[in-house]
Amino acid sequence: MNTVFEVHVAGADPRYAAEAAQAAFALVDRLEGELSRFRHNSDITRINHLTAGQEARVGEAALECLVIARHVYDLTAGAFDIAIGTGLPSLEIDADAFAVRATTDGVRIDLGGIGKGYAVDLVAELLEEWELEQAFVHGGFSSAVALEPPSGQDGWPLTLSDPRDHSRVFSRLSMRQTALSASGVRKGDHIVDPRTGAPVSGRLAAWVALPRPAGSGSAASEARPRLAPGAVADALTTAFMMLPLDDIEALCARSPGLEAWILADGASGVADLIHLTGAAPDRAAGDSV
Amino acid sequence: MESTTFTRNPMIAITLLRILVGWHFLYEGLTKLTSPSFSAAGYLKQAKGPLAGAFHSLAASPDMLANANLITMWGLAIVGAFLILGLFTRLASLAGIAFVLMFYLAAPPWIGLSYAIPSEGSYLIINKNLVEVGALLVIFFTGSGRFAGLDRIISGLIRRRPAVAVAA
Amino acid sequence: MADENTKGKPKTPVAGGPPKLDRRDLLMGLSTVPALGLFGYAWSRQQAHRAGVEAAAAAPAAAAGVQEINVALLGAGAQGQVLMEAMLRIPGLRFRAVCDIWSEYNQKRVVNTLKRFKHEPNAYEDYREMLDKEKQLDAVVIATPDFWHAEHTIACLKAGKHVYCEKEMSNTLEGARSMVMAQRETGKLLQIGHQRRSNPRYLHAYNKLLQEAKLLGRIVTVNGQWNRGVTQDLGAPDRYVIPADRLKQYGFKDMAQFRNWRWYKGKGGGPIVDLGSHQIDIYTWFLGANPSGVMATGGRLYYPPETHEWYDTVMVVFDYQTAAGPAQAYYQTQTTNGSNGYFETFMGDQGTLLISESEVNYPGQLYRDPNAPAWDEWINKGYISAPKEVVVKEKVEGAVADVRESAPPDQHSVPISLRDPYHQPHLQNFFDSVRGKAKLNCPAEVGYESAVSVLKVNEAIEAKSRLAFKPEDFRI
């Protein structure tokens, strides 16, 4: 994933926390082996080599990511597309048999827009297994999950800053039991709109926050299908880089707890950060992009 | 009643014909008996031809339908078994003719009639049901049961009773 | 009814009694009864066929044409879970049981995963109970700590099961030997988990490049390593700690030893066995010979000795008498720095093969020595890829050559990828052998040869001198 993962733990024995973090990193390594398209024998690479009519058996992680990816694809009308326009709907996902069948040639999927969020979700579950509930995990700073905050605080203190200059802080947040994800255009990078194939323009950054399901703990972590807010948030931020504000607003309205922050191109200051929640939108300035 | 006798080879052929028809009847009857869901209702409901009305009302009445089903299942099986064994051959042939004629009349391949459930083959007025009726007629009239069948033993036993002596 | 006999036998009324049924009447009368018998036979055959078809359709996970194998997983720790993941991608397996002493954590997690994949495994802590109670078991996959391998494998073989046992075969030579004896006695299959023996890339390299094309010429030296960075000891979630008496019952002095058994004497063999056994096995395979001598040095250079009884840094030299002549192989393992990861390099007088299980880091490169004959034939056959860079000799006007730094040799690569999890081909080979469709790629005797070479290394480090092998050492 070419990403640095960090685990922050409060209120626990340092050696025990370090052992837990070690277990978390081993978990992330395992997920990389199953999900990365750069590994020759990952589930995703195997899918990418399927020809029409062929089927690949996959593990739980790949299946869950595919199901979530398909869900967000439908939700955003194809704005989030792990197949980047090569035909995600042509992949048949058999959740019972843990199998994926290609009905055409040439579908290429990349879990880059969802894998980090998924990994961070699973790490959060692992930390709860180790009873390290006051924790904060992130992968590359762009996918994060906050569990319980350190004692005496309401939440883990986080900032949203200008992607062009991170010293300019737009927003300070205090998060608990929430997954937070960021998408942005870094220098020289492009996000491609899978519906058109053209690079996205008009947005500088998008952030999404989703609450973790209530009562997380070993009982919930056994529940399937797994509610993976980090993965969903990851996927939504990518989509929100190209969806019109009205659509984003509508989505927020339908999903209680979903929050989004959109930074339009040409934004000069805090005033240009559009904050959308399930409640009435909170717009500091202007119209939709 | 008249009966015709033939030399040996034709009689063997007719006995073979009797076994073939009997086997067919027996299998039809047995599959219906062992199938959990057999009912003639579907077949009756899409009956066409001169007896269509009678068949439809038969299908519509549950009691009559139940009886019809029973008679069909058991009737076919028994007729088939008897034909194979050559037991009460003439009776069995008559009963067989009656069954097959009804099947024929429920879905006759007459000009102007077509059916939702297509049957195999192409037929114009004559179909395999009629052919089978013909076969049963031959069996009826040629006493193959008495040539090679249990009827031969039975008539032998009957003849043991003091009877009118038949002049050679 | 007039009654006539076609034979026209005259019926002369006989005084004193009616004509009897003669023999001919009886025979002709019963002549068609067999037809009914024939019908009955045909009918019963059809019923049986129908029942068979229904049963096959009702069997939930049986793939078309693949006979299902009932499997138990003995050892549900890190490696057991790796094997489970590979097996979940192999059709035709039914998990019947999972056995692990950590019932609170690993055992439960593996059982739950298997249930999500529609298996219904029973959970056990005691392997003897599992072998007793599971009536429908064909094979057991063993991934328990090395010091348990012998007892577990032998018990499973004697219970009539085929066994796939993780490497190293055993932490002692006697243990390994007893496993081979048990396999011979019981005649069941025993595959040792050196998974590279079934890796299609390694098989291609061995069969096509070394045996057939002899691309490397005569292999004189081999080099290999497994470098791994500093790793912390493994811990466990507080709420799932195993009670002390259960740990003791199964041979562990505490939770730390249970989690890190590989570092302890009497339990594992340290990194040279954990990591080196794979690659040293490949040395033997590719060289076609067992070593005739070994020298080794190693130490506890970094980790605390109370929790790391084995050597964390090891350097080994094996010498061989191969069919082509003497050869020498070097191997190092270290656990304080991960530079260049793990690979094996086979160096012959005509070429070099650099290969690793990790395809992403080492796609399997081959280099031709400039003095060697051209490899075009093999490129055309698709045995190796065309070279990455074609060195074009530029002719400079008026000069015979341009004097410059020598060009690097052309790099070819093994044109095969392994798309499945690393252990899948080897497990598949095991299960195919169970079905009678294949031969084991690493049967017990072959695993034993590797075990002899590998287990000698720690001895050699202690002895601080060259230890010799005799050919009989490798045979039982």
Side-chain angles (χ1 to χ4, degrees):
Chain A
M1 280 178 250
N2 215 19
T3 306
V4 176
F5 281 77
E6 279 186 10
V7 173
H8 298 253
V9 174
D13 172 63
R15 219 182 61 119
Y16 182 68
E19 286 173 353
Q22 197 80 334
F25 299 143
L27 168 61
V28 171
D29 282 343
R30 176 174 76 78
L31 289 175
E32 164 120 36
E34 290 183 33
L35 304 179
S36 166
R37 71 178 170 93
F38 299 107
R39 290 287 180 90
H40 292 77
N41 58 349
S42 71
D43 284 340
I44 299 309
T45 302
R46 204 167 327 115
I47 292 173
N48 285 342
H49 279 82
L50 291 175
T51 55
Q54 280 187 328
E55 181 181 283
R57 292 179 153 220
V58 299
E60 280 190 289
L63 190 87
E64 287 187 345
C65 285
L66 286 171
V67 167
I68 294 172
R70 186 60 208 267
H71 174 66
V72 178
Y73 174 92
D74 291 337
L75 205 61
T76 61
F80 176 72
D81 185 358
I82 55 174
I84 317 173
T86 58
L88 181 62
S90 72
L91 279 182
E92 281 175 13
I93 301 168
D94 185 348
D96 274 339
F98 287 88
V100 175
R101 195 171 306 112
T103 55
T104 59
D105 288 343
V107 180
R108 297 285 174 268
I109 59 176
D110 178 351
L111 293 185
I114 189 177
K116 274 189 290 224
Y118 183 77
V120 156
D121 279 328
L122 263 58
V123 168
E125 279 179 22
L126 182 149
L127 293 174
E128 282 171 336
E129 270 183 345
W130 287 63
E131 293 171 300
L132 297 169
E133 325 242 291
Q134 294 173 329
F136 175 76
V137 188
H138 73 85
F141 296 105
S142 59
S143 300
V145 166
L147 286 80
E148 291 302 321
S151 310
Q153 295 182 27
D154 288 332
W156 287 88
L158 307 170
T159 55
L160 306 183
S161 55
D162 191 334
R164 298 163 298 188
D165 175 6
H166 287 293
S167 62
R168 294 176 62 204
V169 170
F170 283 148
S171 197
R172 287 183 192 281
L173 309 170
S174 180
M175 289 273 167
R176 67 171 282 278
Q177 294 297 350
T178 308
L180 181 60
S181 207
S183 238
V185 183
R186 275 180 293 237
K187 298 183 281 290
D189 269 357
H190 296 286
I191 294 187
V192 170
D193 186 335
R195 300 165 298 180
T196 63
V200 158
S201 61
R203 296 264 159 86
L204 276 183
W207 293 264
V208 168
L210 262 182
R212 291 186 82 222
S216 298
S218 64
S221 71
E222 287 305 323
R224 295 290 183 273
R226 180 188 255 121
L227 301 152
V232 177
D234 229 4
L236 287 176
T237 42
T238 311
F240 287 2
M241 284 296 287
M242 52 198 106
L243 282 179
L245 272 184
D246 290 337
D247 290 358
I248 301 176
E249 244 183 286
L251 261 173
C252 290
R254 276 163 39 203
S255 327
L258 173 59
E259 273 185 87
W261 295 260
I262 312 292
L263 190 67
D265 213 356
S268 48
V270 171
D272 296 318
L273 181 65
I274 301 164
H275 179 204
L276 302 163
T277 64
D282 160 29
R283 297 212 202 161
D287 293 327
S288 36
V289 172
Chain B
M1 272 189 281
E2 271 203 7
S3 52
T4 326
T5 49
F6 294 111
T7 53
R8 190 186 159 121
N9 281 343
M11 280 315 291
I12 292 176
I14 293 173
T15 303
L16 184 61
L17 180 64
R18 190 193 89 220
I19 293 174
L20 292 176
V21 173
W23 181 297
H24 176 209
F25 268 70
L26 180 55
Y27 186 69
E28 287 273 14
L30 265 184
T31 37
K32 290 170 176 54
L33 279 169
T34 55
S35 143
S37 60
F38 165 69
S39 170
Y43 185 70
L44 291 169
K45 280 192 199 146
Q46 67 123 41
K48 298 193 184 172
L51 299 182
F55 286 135
H56 293 160
S57 46
L58 177 57
S61 151
D63 294 332
M64 302 260 298
L65 181 62
N67 287 336
N69 284 340
L70 271 178
I71 292 171
T72 305
M73 296 191 294
W74 284 103
L76 287 174
I78 293 171
V79 164
F82 281 19
L83 283 176
I84 292 179
L85 292 173
L87 184 60
F88 307 135
T89 312
R90 301 184 71 146
L91 209 54
S93 325
L94 276 182
I97 290 172
F99 273 119
V100 181
L101 264 185
M102 291 234 283
F103 298 148
Y104 176 78
L105 288 172
W110 294 348
I111 299 165
L113 294 180
S114 67
Y115 299 94
I117 305 172
S119 51
E120 46 79 43
S122 329
Y123 302 109
L124 176 64
I125 301 174
I126 310 290
N127 69 6
K128 291 184 188 169
N129 284 337
L130 269 192
V131 173
E132 205 159 30
V133 168
L136 284 164
L137 279 173
V138 170
I139 294 166
F140 176 82
F141 281 115
T142 52
S144 116
R146 277 171 276 125
F147 163 69
L150 292 181
D151 281 345
R152 184 165 176 150
I153 298 177
I154 289 178
S155 40
L157 293 172
I158 290 173
R159 273 189 294 119
R160 275 210 243 128
R161 289 197 233 112
V164 175
V166 176
Chain C
M1 262 189 274
D3 155 72
E4 278 176 319
N5 196 313
T6 52
K7 274 301 180 190
K9 223 162 86 175
K11 304 239 184 324
T12 323
V14 176
K20 290 198 191 38
L21 263 185
D22 65 10
R23 186 125 147 259
R24 187 178 162 71
D25 288 330
L26 224 53
L27 277 174
M28 290 296 282
L30 296 172
S31 59
T32 60
V33 172
L36 196 62
L38 191 64
F39 179 92
Y41 174 69
W43 172 265
S44 66
R45 283 291 299 269
Q46 192 201 51
Q47 295 303 89
H49 169 79
R50 290 242 181 94
V53 166
E54 268 171 33
V66 169
Q67 168 206 344
E68 219 176 47
I69 297 180
N70 295 300
V71 184
L73 181 63
L74 174 46
Q79 191 59 24
Q81 289 172 34
V82 166
L83 296 180
M84 176 197 72
E85 286 289 341
M87 286 193 277
L88 285 171
R89 290 159 177 75
I90 299 176
L93 302 180
R94 178 142 302 278
F95 282 88
R96 293 283 178 192
V98 174
C99 181
D100 193 284
I101 67 167
W102 201 354
S103 36
E104 297 89 340
Y105 196 51
N106 275 341
Q107 185 214 78
K108 196 153 80 114
R109 166 193 292 174
V110 166
V111 168
N112 284 340
T113 302
L114 289 173
K115 285 187 174 160
R116 286 193 284 273
F117 279 78
K118 309 283 188 294
H119 296 272
E120 312 259 335
N122 297 318
Y124 297 92
E125 196 189 285
D126 185 343
Y127 74 93
R128 289 166 302 192
E129 197 190 328
M130 175 181 83
L131 290 175
D132 242 350
K133 292 204 175 140
E134 289 297 324
K135 297 302 170 202
Q136 260 183 304
L137 208 49
D138 302 313
V140 181
V141 172
I142 297 180
T144 46
D146 293 355
F147 71 107
W148 277 108
H149 282 178
E151 183 176 323
H152 287 163
T153 300
I154 293 169
C156 291
L157 290 172
K158 291 203 164 145
K161 320 296 174 202
H162 301 291
V163 172
Y164 177 106
C165 181
E166 260 295 329
K167 63 35 87 175
E168 197 31 87
M169 247 176 121
S170 172
N171 64 327
T172 66
L173 214 50
E174 301 75 58
R177 179 178 296 124
S178 62
M179 287 159 76
V180 177
M181 303 299 289
Q183 187 278 320
R184 286 191 186 158
E185 269 172 44
T186 59
K188 292 287 161 193
L189 295 171
L190 173 55
Q191 171 105 301
I192 304 303
H194 289 293
Q195 75 274 9
R196 286 163 183 73
R197 293 257 183 175
S198 300
N199 185 317
R201 298 168 59 237
Y202 278 80
L203 283 168
H204 179 89
Y206 178 74
N207 290 321
K208 298 267 185 313
L209 305 183
L210 294 188
Q211 296 292 99
E212 191 183 328
K214 302 195 194 331
L215 281 182
L216 307 186
R218 178 183 150 200
I219 300 176
V220 185
T221 50
V222 182
N223 187 34
Q225 70 173 49
W226 196 315
N227 287 356
R228 200 171 61 185
V230 175
T231 352
Q232 198 151 4
D233 283 354
L234 300 174
D238 273 345
R239 69 151 80 118
Y240 298 124
V241 163
I242 300 176
D245 51 328
R246 196 190 319 158
L247 286 173
K248 280 195 177 28
Q249 181 191 354
Y250 290 102
F252 302 100
K253 75 170 189 242
D254 54 24
M255 200 65 190
Q257 190 183 72
F258 169 70
R259 295 290 285 139
N260 298 282
W261 56 268
R262 296 177 186 274
W263 285 104
Y264 290 85
K265 296 197 173 171
K267 317 286 175 211
I272 187 63
V273 172
D274 291 337
L275 309 173
S277 77
H278 281 300
Q279 296 162 288
I280 293 170
D281 176 64
I282 301 302
Y283 287 7
T284 299
W285 182 19
F286 279 19
L287 288 174
N290 286 309
S292 32
V294 59
M295 284 187 290
T297 172
R300 276 167 232 108
L301 307 183
Y302 190 79
Y303 294 93
E306 309 82 47
T307 48
H308 293 74
E309 294 177 353
W310 281 119
Y311 311 110
D312 53 39
T313 313
V314 172
M315 180 76 196
V316 197
V317 180
F318 288 104
D319 52 81
Y320 302 78
Q321 291 297 332
T322 74
Q328 222 168 50
Y330 316 105
Y331 184 80
Q332 86 177 37
T333 182
Q334 55 151 326
T335 48
T336 43
N337 175 297
S339 60
N340 295 325
Y342 51 96
F343 60 83
E344 306 89 54
T345 312
F346 293 87
M347 295 168 277
D349 57 358
Q350 291 181 10
T352 312
L353 166 65
L354 168 56
I355 192 169
S356 165
E357 190 182 50
S358 170
E359 192 177 338
V360 65
N361 292 320
Y362 296 98
Q365 297 106 294
L366 288 121
Y367 303 94
R368 184 178 68 86
D369 188 281
N371 294 318
W375 282 357
D376 294 343
E377 176 193 349
W378 312 109
I379 299 172
N380 294 335
K381 272 189 165 162
Y383 282 20
I384 48 177
S385 68
K388 227 167 129 175
E389 280 162 44
V390 180
V391 179
V392 176
K393 283 215 186 79
E394 303 141 8
K395 266 293 190 197
V396 178
E397 278 299 325
V400 99
D402 179 43
V403 181
R404 64 169 80 145
E405 204 179 305
S406 49
D410 292 341
Q411 178 185 309
H412 309 255
S413 55
V414 171
I416 296 193
S417 274
L418 172 60
R419 296 257 169 259
D420 296 319
Y422 293 127
H423 294 79
Q424 189 174 328
H426 203 49
L427 284 160
Q428 184 99 57
N429 169 256
F430 170 67
F431 292 117
D432 287 342
S433 304
V434 167
R435 291 193 181 98
K437 295 206 201 123
K439 293 217 132 15
L440 294 178
N441 285 335
C442 192
E445 275 98 355
V446 171
Y448 183 74
E449 286 175 17
S450 283
V452 170
S453 310
V454 170
L455 293 174
K456 203 77 159 183
V457 174
N458 282 330
E459 243 186 86
I461 298 175
E462 295 275 351
K464 294 187 179 1
S465 68
R466 177 180 180 275
L467 297 183
F469 293 100
K470 298 186 294 297
E472 310 85 80
D473 292 342
F474 298 97
R475 288 192 297 266
I476 300 183

